[in-house]
């Protein structure tokens, strides 16, 4: 978790001095991919009601991290051009291993799995396709630009987007402490819309633009349904000054924002609008509040698994302090970044560093209190 947060902060501070591919891969390949793999290895046993992951499975996020580091190095140093393909191959190996493990867990469980598992498996399948597209570019250079666009959208909307939306649908009710009785049926109903939307956006961005508009409209269906449900059930918590709920809601709004910027991009190219940067809006408005909000809720569980106690509750309160303020500023930073304003990413970096310092202070205080109680 901390490796991902530090990678995000470093990428945002590095952004004015580095090329966009290097920055995006530092965020997505070094920060997000290993973090998501680690989270999946924790949640898949929960979703399948099976035993916890074996210790050997913890090497999968490390393998993905190594692949991400190679890719960032390749974009940063021209002499390491081969690292793009070596890194993609390592990440593909890690993704395939995690997907195969998830399918084995599904086959060995009793009863039906939670519908979130299908979202995870589909997200991993999208990442497999995205990484295969990079490898295909090595033997099909005349399609390299189109395959890069295909890879980018399968990575962002497919791998990260599908994972995040399915996790958010379950996580926000957990944060608030009031269940959403429709979350399971809604996830089952919305997965075909999100999957079709992802594929159409990726194919459209690569080869036939009108398909991307249709895909964006399909993706809007699960986003609107989830957002409407949240506003009906959790409005007070979403608009609160403190807590993880405002950050998780800001992440959902940021994902919708990045899609709007994506729809505006072709019009901007024709001179109708200010030039837009959908990928930067995705990072600043979606990923930053998503990771910091998720960390506010789950970090206590990962540090001390098992029965929840006052220690976990107090730590969550400290981690979520002024979460509503950060959520608003993350969203504003995402808008600015999407409009190509450099200060938008710097604002996101500042909010992320604020959270890191707050988390470090909260953890130090929590463990000092714990040691005092034990003595």
């Amino acid at each position: 978790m901390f490796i991902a947060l530090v990678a995000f902060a470093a990428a945002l501070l590095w952004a004015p001095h580095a090329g966009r591919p290097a920055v995006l891969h530092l965020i997505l390949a070094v920060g997000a991919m290993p973090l998501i793999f680690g989270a999946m290895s924790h949640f898949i046993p929960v979703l399948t009601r099976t035993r916890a992951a074996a210790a050997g499975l913890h090497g999968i996020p490390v393998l993905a991290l190594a692949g991400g580091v190679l890719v960032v190095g390749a974009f940063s140093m021209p002499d390491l051009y081969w690292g793009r393909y070596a890194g993609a191959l390592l990440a593909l190996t890690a993704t395939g291993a995690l997907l195969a493990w998830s399918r084995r867990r599904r086959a060995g469980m009793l009863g039906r799995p939670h519908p979130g598992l299908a979202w995870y498996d589909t997200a991993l399948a999208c990442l497999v396709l995205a990484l295969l597209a990079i490898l295909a570019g090595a033997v099909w250079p005349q399609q390299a630009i189109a395959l890069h666009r295909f890879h980018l959208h399968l990575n962002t909307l497919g791998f990260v987007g599908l994972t995040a939306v399915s996790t958010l649908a379950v996580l926000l009710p957990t944060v608030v402490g009031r269940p959403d009785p429709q979350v399971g049926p809604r996830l089952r109903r919305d997965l075909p819309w999100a999957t079709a939307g992802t594929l159409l956006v990726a194919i459209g961005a690569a080869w036939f633009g009108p398909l991307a508009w249709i895909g964006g409209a399909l993706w809007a269906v699960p986003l609107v349904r989830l957002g409407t449900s949240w506003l009906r059930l959790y409005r007070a918590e979403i608009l609160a000054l403190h807590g993880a709920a405002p950050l998780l809601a800001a992440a959902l709004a940021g994902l919708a924002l990045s899609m709007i910027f994506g729809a505006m991009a072709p019009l901007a190219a024709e001179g109708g609008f200010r030039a837009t940067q959908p990928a930067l809006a995705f990072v600043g408005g979606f990923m930053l509040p998503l990771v910091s909000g998720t960390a506010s809720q789950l970090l206590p569980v990962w540090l001390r698994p098992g029965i929840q106690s006052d220690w976990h509750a107090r730590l969550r309160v400290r981690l979520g302090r002024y979460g509503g303020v950060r959520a608003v500023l993350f969203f504003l930073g995402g808008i600015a970044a999407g409009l190509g304003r450099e200060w938008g990413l710097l604002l996101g970096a500042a909010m992320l560093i604020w959270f890191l310092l707050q988390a470090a202070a909260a953890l130090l205080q929590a463990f000092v209190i714990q040691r005092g109680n034990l003595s």
Side-chain angles (χ1 to χ4, degrees):
M1 175 67 75
F2 277 107
I3 291 175
L5 292 171
V6 170
F8 290 168
L12 296 174
L13 293 173
W14 189 36
H17 312 289
R20 196 181 77 156
V23 171
L24 287 178
H25 282 86
L26 181 55
I27 291 171
L28 295 172
V30 175
M33 183 169 59
L35 175 63
I36 291 174
F37 281 11
M40 284 184 173
S41 66
H42 171 80
F43 284 118
I44 286 174
V46 176
L47 297 175
T48 56
R49 299 182 294 278
T50 55
R51 67 185 184 279
L57 197 77
H58 298 160
I60 290 180
V62 176
L63 185 62
L65 177 62
V69 169
L70 269 176
V71 173
V72 172
F75 279 111
S76 305
M77 294 174 283
D79 292 340
L80 288 179
Y81 184 81
W82 55 270
R84 299 186 189 187
Y85 305 110
L89 189 59
L90 286 179
L92 181 62
T93 302
T95 307
L98 186 58
L99 180 57
W101 175 72
S102 174
R103 301 301 296 178
R104 287 197 301 272
R105 283 299 176 96
R106 176 192 288 267
M109 70 171 295
L110 297 175
R112 295 180 65 184
H114 188 280
L117 183 66
W119 285 71
Y120 281 5
D121 288 350
T122 306
L124 290 171
C126 285
L127 183 57
V128 167
L129 289 177
L131 294 168
L132 286 174
I134 294 300
L135 297 176
V139 296
W140 200 7
Q142 63 270 32
Q143 288 292 322
I145 295 176
L147 288 169
H148 169 72
R149 293 172 180 163
F150 185 72
H151 164 85
L152 176 65
H153 290 85
L154 280 179
N155 202 336
T156 52
L157 290 183
F159 173 55
V160 179
L162 289 171
T163 303
V165 169
S166 58
T167 303
L168 286 172
V170 177
L171 187 58
L172 184 64
T174 303
V175 168
V176 174
R178 296 197 309 276
D180 178 358
Q182 294 301 313
V183 65
R186 189 170 57 245
L187 284 174
R188 291 190 184 93
R189 186 170 63 246
D190 286 347
L191 180 57
W193 292 89
T195 303
T198 297
L199 292 174
L200 288 175
V201 168
I203 295 171
W207 292 289
F208 186 62
L211 289 180
W213 289 73
I214 299 173
L218 294 181
W219 239 117
V221 173
L223 294 182
V224 169
R225 283 176 175 165
L226 183 57
T228 301
S229 174
W230 280 3
L231 288 175
R232 186 180 70 253
L233 296 173
Y234 311 120
R235 185 192 305 268
E237 290 82 3
I238 287 172
L239 299 177
L241 178 62
H242 304 292
L247 290 161
L248 299 180
L252 186 69
L255 179 58
L257 173 72
S258 68
M259 291 185 182
I260 292 171
F261 277 124
M264 289 172 55
L267 300 177
E270 297 172 4
F273 291 91
R274 184 189 302 272
T276 62
Q277 299 284 342
L280 299 184
F282 181 87
V283 170
F286 168 58
M287 292 198 65
L288 298 185
L290 172 70
V291 173
S292 57
T294 302
S296 299
Q297 176 66 21
L298 296 181
L299 192 56
V301 179
W302 291 343
L303 290 173
R304 288 182 59 179
I307 298 175
Q308 301 295 285
S309 64
D310 289 341
W311 184 90
H312 296 85
R314 287 194 299 268
L315 181 54
R316 284 197 185 96
V317 169
R318 297 188 188 103
L319 292 172
R321 193 171 301 279
Y322 297 109
V325 176
R326 289 197 301 276
V328 172
L329 293 177
F330 274 136
F331 189 73
L332 292 176
I335 294 175
L339 292 173
R341 302 296 186 181
E342 182 180 298
W343 62 265
L345 291 181
L346 295 178
L347 177 60
M351 293 303 99
L352 196 58
I353 292 171
W354 176 11
F355 175 72
L356 283 169
L357 293 174
Q358 182 173 302
L363 290 171
L364 179 61
Q365 185 177 5
F367 283 112
V368 166
I369 293 175
Q370 179 189 18
R371 178 172 294 182
N373 291 337
L374 292 176
S375 61

